[in-house]
Amino acid sequence: MRRLAARRAVRTKRGVMSTLQLWGQYLPQFLAGLVVSLQLTGAALVLALALGTLLVLARTGRIRVLAAIATGYVEVFRAVPVLVLLFTAYYSLAQMGLRLPGFWAGVVALGAFYGALYGEDMRSGLQSVDPGQREAAVALGLSNGTVMRRVVLPQAFLAFLPPGTNELSNLIKDTSLVLTIGVTDLMFQANAAAAATFQPMDMFLLAGLVYFAFYILLSRILARWELNVQRRRS
Amino acid sequence: MSSDVVVDIQGLTKRFGARTVFEDISLQVRRSEVVAVIGPSGAGKSTFIRCINYLHPFDAGRIRVLGHELVGGGAPPSKATLRQVRMQVGMAFQTFNLFPHLTALGNVMLGPMETKRVPARDARDKAMALLSSVGLADRAEAYPRRLSGGEQQRVAICRALAMDPEVMLFDEPTSMLDPEMVGEVLATIRGLASQGMTLILVTHEMQFAKEVADTVVVMADGRVVEQGPARDVLEHPTSERSRTFLTRVLKPLEAPGVSGEASPPGGSGRGATTALGGDVR
């Protein structure tokens, strides 16, 4: 009995050593993958924020047709799985003659999806501002633009931050889907390393840890930022 | 009418959909006059006062404010007209509506800096002077949520005064306040009246109306049921409708069981539904 336990301990120890060795060996690839994942996140975020802004402008604007299109867009795009959008951007657009490199197909798909979400977040941020705020600003004689810039947007931004940062955390994780169209992101590198070493558990564990570390880092930074913005106003 | 009239309201009518909030209201307000609009909840008092700076568009009638004309129905007034009116007509709200992301000082500075391009230094000096005048110099750097209701309302009054308005509108300025804070806000308003500011206020403070107002307008059921010198209206109302309202408001304890649409002033302001219910049909 005791011998068995000892043997298992030895094996576990050897396992930990070899896992660490493997991780050390593949770390450069993983980091290169992480860089691609981050670039993808950044580019998709820019696209999503731009798209979200356009959507919220269209939805709150006076032109009915644009508002209807924007509403339809949001309804459709947030209802479709990101993977479907990704394959559409990569394969279907290529069939129609628009051949996007994998990275940019990823940016388009993620941007299109998260744009719909950001559009909603921005809209609810704007709606969260008490109508009395607009009234008080208007009653001072401020122009519509000034009311927006000095009174409504600063408050809407505060309401937008929590769901907005939450969306960003999800975006980072969803970038892992681009593995399926051959973009050499973090998940792709993990998959390749798993295939090469026959140690899928070790490799995906490392990928998970890298995502986790980055997620924690980013969410801490965002939370602190949120807190700062809030504290500055109390 | 003499040129002394700063606000001239003729035949003002406001509807929300099929429901008429009030109809055919006329009122002239002279420079330095203090007009108190009273009446049961749901009578349309707040909606009425909000038409004067066009926070609410109206359906018929016209309002001439300091030479600018707002006409009901048809197309809305030009942006330039609206801004002129609003820059000269200050307003304080029932819920204060201070900007929560700005300090008390920032709230008071915003209007002049954004509309009149007043330099920050001058705007700050003026704002500080105004805050000092209402006893809030030491709260200048505080954000609204750190201020009591009474303090918030006084800051809100300063914010409106920073624009150097010719007329001040007060929309139930004390009805959201705890009783012990009502006095400080009323004192501020009383100060404005004594300085000759033209005031139009919707209020449930009958004693205050009697003391400060020159003219009292009683609104009920979407009409002006009585209008005249404050003391006459409050002490010897001639219309039956204002008599029942005033009886209940001035002597709430002596007329407990009287049924009717008016809710006593201290009661929840949301008793509005009963009075409104009568209008809806």
Side-chain angles (χ1 to χ4, degrees):
Chain A
M1 209 47 200
R2 189 178 294 166
R3 210 186 299 159
L4 202 70
R7 205 183 293 162
R8 194 176 292 156
V10 168
R11 197 191 296 150
T12 311
K13 195 174 180 188
R14 200 178 289 148
V16 169
M17 288 308 292
S18 71
T19 298
L20 287 177
Q21 249 170 10
L22 273 179
W23 285 4
Q25 196 181 330
Y26 279 90
L27 199 62
Q29 275 100 314
F30 273 71
L31 290 181
L34 179 64
V35 168
V36 174
S37 292
L38 295 185
Q39 285 169 337
L40 194 55
T41 304
L45 179 67
V46 169
L47 178 62
L49 287 174
L51 189 59
T53 307
L54 288 180
L55 286 170
V56 80
L57 285 177
R59 288 187 85 176
T60 55
R62 265 180 231 140
I63 306 168
R64 287 239 182 109
V65 184
L66 283 184
I69 292 173
T71 306
Y73 179 92
V74 171
E75 293 299 321
V76 170
F77 274 76
R78 68 174 176 179
V80 176
V82 184
L83 192 57
V84 173
L85 294 178
L86 192 63
F87 281 12
T88 306
Y90 192 61
Y91 298 113
S92 308
L93 288 184
Q95 266 184 343
M96 290 187 284
L98 180 62
R99 194 173 295 277
L100 290 176
F103 180 85
W104 291 105
V107 170
V108 167
L110 289 165
F113 180 78
Y114 281 93
L117 299 189
Y118 274 130
E120 275 303 281
D121 295 341
M122 290 177 188
R123 197 169 68 107
S124 67
L126 284 173
Q127 278 175 343
S128 76
V129 179
D130 178 357
Q133 290 291 313
R134 214 179 292 248
E135 280 187 343
V138 161
L140 281 176
L142 303 184
S143 66
N144 287 339
T146 310
V147 172
M148 216 44 191
R149 188 168 51 83
R150 295 300 311 271
V151 176
V152 176
L153 286 181
Q155 295 182 59
F157 179 67
L158 204 59
F160 164 77
L161 264 188
T165 55
N166 186 38
E167 238 69 273
L168 176 56
S169 308
N170 289 333
L171 169 59
I172 293 168
K173 290 183 281 181
D174 276 353
T175 57
S176 62
L177 291 169
V178 297
L179 149 92
T180 56
I181 56 171
V183 179
T184 56
D185 75 327
L186 177 55
M187 190 62 191
F188 181 95
Q189 298 292 0
N191 198 39
T197 59
F198 298 107
Q199 298 292 342
M201 203 171 101
D202 291 352
M203 288 310 170
F204 290 127
L205 182 63
L206 178 58
L209 283 175
V210 174
Y211 277 117
F212 178 73
F214 188 68
Y215 177 91
I216 289 293
L217 184 71
L218 189 84
S219 64
R220 284 289 149 80
I221 292 172
L222 291 176
R224 176 156 299 183
W225 183 43
E226 244 176 81
L227 206 68
N228 270 337
V229 174
Q230 261 161 6
R231 204 174 285 156
R232 239 183 290 138
R233 298 176 182 179
S234 61
Chain B
M1 270 295 151
S2 84
S3 61
D4 224 20
V5 173
V6 288
V7 178
D8 183 5
I9 300 167
Q10 295 291 341
L12 200 67
T13 298
K14 170 72 183 173
R15 299 188 188 90
F16 280 133
R19 185 168 71 84
T20 299
V21 184
F22 53 75
E23 201 157 23
D24 196 25
I25 292 183
S26 297
L27 175 69
Q28 283 79 43
V29 183
R30 293 166 184 283
R31 190 169 297 282
S32 296
E33 188 175 351
V34 177
V35 177
V37 181
I38 62 171
S41 298
K45 307 182 296 290
S46 285
T47 311
F48 168 68
I49 201 174
R50 282 155 174 266
C51 286
I52 298 172
N53 61 352
Y54 212 77
L55 283 186
H56 286 323
F58 43 91
D59 298 276
R62 59 176 189 78
I63 303 178
R64 179 171 268 282
V65 188
L66 299 152
H68 303 285
E69 187 140 58
L70 307 171
V71 181
S78 74
K79 278 185 185 168
T81 305
L82 280 181
R83 290 190 62 192
Q84 282 302 316
V85 168
R86 287 165 177 168
M87 284 168 71
Q88 294 178 73
V89 178
M91 185 165 208
F93 299 84
Q94 184 177 7
T95 48
F96 329 131
N97 300 354
L98 285 182
F99 306 131
H101 58 297
L102 299 176
T103 60
L105 191 65
N107 268 275
V108 183
M109 290 167 65
L110 183 67
M113 285 182 68
E114 290 291 341
T115 59
K116 299 177 178 173
R117 303 273 161 237
V118 173
R121 176 189 290 266
D122 298 352
R124 176 179 298 266
D125 290 346
K126 176 163 201 180
M128 277 312 295
L130 280 167
L131 288 171
S132 303
S133 74
V134 297
L136 290 174
D138 57 328
R139 307 294 278 144
E141 295 300 331
Y143 283 86
R145 58 179 201 172
R146 301 268 177 240
L147 299 173
S148 74
E151 289 173 334
Q152 287 191 48
Q153 189 61 293
R154 283 182 284 157
V155 173
I157 294 170
C158 290
R159 175 176 67 180
L161 291 177
M163 295 295 293
D164 292 320
E166 300 280 336
V167 180
M168 274 294 290
L169 308 176
F170 287 89
D171 183 8
E172 300 195 30
T174 58
S175 51
M176 295 289 280
L177 293 175
D178 291 337
E180 76 264 27
M181 292 170 185
V182 170
E184 65 195 48
V185 170
L186 293 184
T188 301
I189 301 173
R190 193 179 290 121
L192 289 177
S194 68
Q195 289 162 30
M197 173 71 80
T198 310
L199 304 179
I200 304 175
L201 64 140
V202 172
T203 186
H204 290 294
E205 302 286 338
M206 294 304 147
Q207 200 49 49
F208 183 72
K210 190 188 279 186
E211 176 200 335
V212 175
D214 302 303
T215 305
V216 164
V217 175
V218 186
M219 280 182 75
D221 311 326
R223 293 178 301 122
V224 169
V225 293
E226 186 149 359
Q227 157 175 1
R231 213 155 278 275
D232 293 358
V233 172
L234 292 171
E235 286 173 4
H236 311 288
T238 52
S239 114
E240 185 57 41
R241 191 66 186 76
S242 50
R243 202 175 299 145
T244 49
F245 168 70
L246 286 168
T247 310
R248 226 163 298 131
V249 163
L250 294 176
K251 300 168 191 158
L253 295 177
E254 289 171 35
V258 187
S259 71
E261 47 282 82
S263 57
S268 77
R270 297 290 153 239
T273 39
T274 40
L276 277 178
D279 296 342
V280 169
R281 268 168 274 135

